[in-house]
Amino acid sequence: MRICVLIKQLPDTGSALKIRADELWVDEDNLVFSANESDSYALEEALLMKEAQGGEVVVVSLGPERVGQVLKDALAKGADRAIHLHDPAWEVLDSLGLARIMAAVLKEEQCDLIFTGLQSDDTGDGQLGPMLAELLDMPHVTLVVETELSDGRIKVKQELEGGWFQYVTAQLPVLLTIQSGINKPRYASLRGIMAMKHKEIKAVGAGDLDLPADQWVAGRTLQRLYVPEKTKETVFLEGSPQEVGAALVDHLVNTAKVF
Amino acid sequence: MGKIIVLGQMEGSQVSRISLEALSGARQLAAATGHTVLAALFGPGDPPEQLAGADIAEIIRLPNAELADYSPDHYVAAAEALIAAEQPELLVTGHSYQIRDWLPRLAARLGRPLISDCIGVRDAGAGRWVRPVFQGKISADVQTSPGLVLVSFQSGTYRADELGSGSPTVRTVPVDLSAVESRLQREEKFQEAKGAVDLSRAERIVAVGRGIGEEENLQLAHDLAKALGAEVGSSRPVVDYGWLDHDRQVGSSGQTVSPKLYLALGISGAIQHQVGMKNAGCIVAINKDANAPIFEIADYGIVGDLFDYVPALIKALHAR
């Protein structure tokens, strides 16, 4: 059994973000990068499945040099090999272009399962998983919070809105987008870190794929980033904690009347 | 002039609120572009009363039995056939979980761009849209190429009661889905056993987020809740870590609440959290990050370390 996990590297949650002078992205100097949160849960789910059932876990990421780090981290945690998609021609992609590149790579891998996080915490499109499943002609389930694999079938618990859930069953191959909280992602062990050094990270560029360049021309491009316009007039309370505490209680009692 | 098709998502025999909001958004797009608005409804059953007097040119029905229950394979095939028959300029809907599940798949089949989680329109004619990035900390204007564009509007972007007045005609579009095979078997939907707390009835809520740091620090939130006569709620990460039960989670995957007071401790306020609490009467946010999106909707803001301010606030409440 082969499980492919798609991982995106992005600025650490809680990073102080500064919009770049050209207003087309954030300034990446001085930022700390890590794996997208739900992608970490997706990787852990794949590793647990491999440990229980056997097989191979392949991690895939697209991006510049720095992306090598999330692939190394995944290999140290127990993934078997990695594919790093990197090409200057792929600097500006939309979800569909990215999905077509991933599809061209994963077609060769013949995966039984493909896992991704439910969405990336930077662009937040939440499109790659279902798009990739369509391009590879396999079924998909989004927002998965539980998996159970047996006899070439997988039964998953899908999160719906407002606290509702549904069990969904499919024959492999299938693509799942994994919700945060499904498991407890592990840390790499020292032995894992040593083993990582002998594992393969395959570099793949545009020239290695059977995919015409017009397939990744963006139909959707970022024009400008900016700090959102405020919808509410916020009263900011300043001063010592004692002053602020007293002032807030006064506002809550006399202005907002919340008691 | 072209067509804007609004996909009306059904909740039982009613069109969902987020779909009505999308319809109201489509009317504004139509006013700006001169396009006409059509509402499309999947599945058997008569069009609901909600749309009878709305300002829509037509209601299109796809009454196939295969569309009565959700199936991504069938919904994608039906929408593909509908688009082939009607040739719309825009396909508009609400950004629900179900739409997130299948609309990207449709976009890939059609090879067309999808603006998911859209929160505004910069220029309808030019195809320029607004959507949040970095969990709502930053907004982005996004340009789409000429041709069909799919758009899903975030909840609350438009008002559900601005449907205008008109008398739409009803038309059935015959679509053959007999060759579509469903590759998923879906069981009945269910809710987890209800816990002890019903946050939707709480008058005051103290909600904790990632900024609480450690499980032991939750005691501070419990102490503040006690001083306020409030329930404790949380954003998603705190439940993911297993520190609080799922029934205390506020947001799109948890509870929707509207208390008199919502006091957010160390919650950045990603859009998925905001949709569950933005209708609170009074929102107070304490957060270290002055740019946290929670401050966009807060009535009162304290920029600083919650571990400095919360103990002082508890003291002030006791002195009241």
Side-chain angles (χ1 to χ4, degrees):
Chain A
M1 187 178 63
R2 180 172 293 152
I3 310 173
C4 287
V5 184
L6 313 185
I7 301 178
K8 187 173 190 177
Q9 190 197 43
L10 39 76
D12 239 355
T13 310
S15 296
L17 301 170
K18 219 179 101 211
I19 295 170
R20 217 161 61 187
D22 66 5
E23 299 183 322
L24 291 177
W25 197 238
V26 293
D27 191 350
E28 293 196 348
D29 295 344
N30 307 318
L31 283 181
V32 176
F33 286 84
S34 54
N36 181 47
E37 186 169 36
S38 53
D39 296 348
S40 299
Y41 288 98
L43 171 63
E44 180 64 29
E45 198 64 13
L47 295 174
L48 291 172
M49 216 171 258
K50 177 185 113 167
E51 283 158 9
Q53 314 251 357
E56 183 191 32
V57 173
V58 182
V59 286
V60 186
S61 189
L62 185 146
E65 281 313 311
R66 59 171 161 76
V67 166
Q69 192 55 52
V70 291
L71 294 174
K72 283 181 188 168
D73 292 346
L75 293 173
K77 288 181 179 184
D80 297 281
R81 58 189 171 88
I83 301 173
H84 183 177
L85 304 169
H86 180 16
D87 198 296
W90 294 338
E91 237 165 70
V92 180
L93 294 172
D94 64 3
S95 301
L96 187 56
L98 175 62
R100 284 171 170 161
I101 292 166
M102 288 286 183
V105 174
L106 295 182
K107 203 170 55 189
E108 307 298 322
E109 291 291 335
Q110 298 285 320
C111 319
D112 299 291
L113 287 162
I114 301 174
F115 291 176
T116 76
L118 78 136
Q119 66 179 41
S120 62
D121 292 341
D122 56 354
T123 57
D125 290 302
Q127 299 182 15
L128 176 62
M131 281 183 158
L132 182 56
E134 170 66 22
L135 298 174
L136 294 172
D137 194 24
M138 59 169 72
H140 78 273
V141 185
T142 53
L143 282 162
V144 170
V145 293
E146 200 180 290
T147 67
E148 190 192 320
L149 184 68
S150 62
D151 302 331
R153 295 166 68 80
I154 190 160
K155 181 175 175 179
V156 303
K157 185 171 164 188
Q158 181 177 34
E159 182 179 303
L160 310 174
E161 267 151 320
W164 287 82
F165 298 90
Q166 190 167 32
Y167 282 103
V168 183
T169 307
Q171 294 279 352
L172 304 187
V174 60
L175 182 146
L176 305 179
T177 81
I178 304 292
Q179 171 65 288
S180 297
I182 186 173
N183 50 40
K184 272 204 169 337
R186 70 192 65 189
Y187 293 100
S189 65
L190 191 58
R191 180 193 265 190
I193 293 167
M194 297 310 289
M196 172 267 285
K197 293 175 179 159
H198 306 289
K199 291 178 179 171
E200 180 200 15
I201 300 183
K202 183 176 160 192
V204 173
D208 301 313
L209 296 183
D210 180 22
L211 187 72
D214 64 358
Q215 291 294 291
W216 66 74
V217 170
R220 194 190 71 194
T221 47
L222 280 176
Q223 291 288 304
R224 188 170 85 87
L225 298 191
Y226 48 94
V227 174
E229 298 115 32
K230 278 180 73 73
T231 53
K232 231 177 192 176
E233 207 49 59
T234 307
V235 177
F236 282 97
L237 303 173
E238 290 170 9
S240 72
Q242 289 70 28
E243 289 162 355
V244 167
L248 180 58
V249 170
D250 182 51
H251 279 293
L252 294 181
V253 172
N254 298 312
T255 312
K257 298 185 166 54
V258 302
F259 294 104
Chain B
M1 281 295 112
K3 295 175 183 172
I4 302 174
I5 294 184
V6 181
L7 285 171
Q9 304 169 57
M10 302 301 288
E11 277 173 1
S13 59
Q14 298 285 300
V15 177
S16 72
R17 180 183 177 82
I18 198 169
S19 305
L20 296 177
E21 293 175 3
L23 198 51
S24 145
R27 290 186 60 231
Q28 294 194 22
L29 286 167
T33 57
H35 296 327
T36 49
V37 177
L38 286 67
L41 301 174
F42 285 5
D46 294 328
E49 282 295 310
Q50 292 159 293
L51 301 182
D55 177 24
I56 314 168
E58 279 185 305
I59 297 172
I60 299 176
R61 298 183 61 230
L62 282 71
N64 304 54
E66 298 98 324
L67 300 174
D69 291 317
Y70 174 59
S71 152
D73 289 318
H74 288 93
Y75 274 41
V76 169
E80 185 188 17
L82 173 67
I83 286 166
E86 299 294 323
Q87 299 287 321
E89 304 295 317
L90 289 168
L91 186 76
V92 172
T93 192
H95 192 59
S96 65
Y97 278 24
Q98 191 178 89
I99 281 294
R100 289 162 61 157
D101 192 71
W102 70 274
L103 212 60
R105 194 158 190 135
L106 175 68
R109 187 168 299 183
L110 300 170
R112 295 302 311 161
L114 162 60
I115 303 293
S116 47
D117 205 5
C118 188
I119 52 168
V121 180
R122 181 68 60 205
D123 184 335
R128 191 171 285 196
W129 315 89
V130 186
R131 58 183 308 281
V133 293
F134 291 101
Q135 307 238 290
K137 287 179 192 159
I138 294 174
S139 289
D141 285 359
V142 185
Q143 176 80 48
T144 45
S145 60
L148 171 69
V149 176
L150 317 181
V151 181
S152 60
F153 283 113
Q154 177 58 249
S155 151
T157 302
Y158 295 98
R159 291 177 55 106
D161 55 4
E162 289 175 352
L163 302 181
S165 71
S167 45
T169 52
V170 179
R171 173 161 63 97
T172 297
V173 170
V175 171
D176 182 8
L177 300 173
S178 57
V180 180
E181 202 186 332
S182 180
R183 292 176 284 187
L184 303 174
Q185 288 84 51
R186 312 181 81 86
E187 295 177 17
E188 286 296 308
K189 297 173 191 176
F190 63 96
Q191 278 184 300
E192 305 276 66
K194 275 264 174 215
V197 60
D198 182 2
L199 288 185
S200 64
R201 290 166 180 274
E203 292 214 322
R204 288 170 292 276
I205 294 173
V206 171
V208 286
R210 210 189 286 271
I212 199 76
E214 313 240 346
E215 187 170 10
E216 299 82 79
N217 298 337
L218 278 179
Q219 191 54 46
L220 192 59
H222 287 294
D223 292 346
L224 177 58
K226 199 169 167 206
L228 282 166
E231 290 285 355
V232 172
S234 80
S235 62
R236 172 140 207 138
V238 175
V239 171
D240 283 348
Y241 302 151
W243 298 349
L244 284 174
D245 288 336
H246 184 260
D247 55 0
R248 294 198 182 265
Q249 183 183 322
V250 175
S252 53
S253 52
Q255 305 292 314
T256 300
V257 299
S258 49
K260 283 188 196 163
L261 170 67
Y262 192 89
L263 204 156
L265 303 178
I267 291 180
S268 72
I271 196 96
Q272 295 86 348
H273 186 71
Q274 287 193 15
V275 297
M277 47 64 76
K278 63 187 173 191
N279 290 324
C282 174
I283 298 171
V284 180
I286 305 181
N287 203 297
K288 272 199 255 190
D289 180 4
N291 296 319
I294 192 80
F295 288 123
E296 285 158 36
I297 57 164
D299 298 279
Y300 298 98
I302 299 169
V303 179
D305 191 336
L306 70 95
F307 299 106
D308 291 335
Y309 288 95
V310 172
L313 180 57
I314 293 171
K315 261 197 195 138
L317 284 163
H318 286 146
R320 173 165 77 97

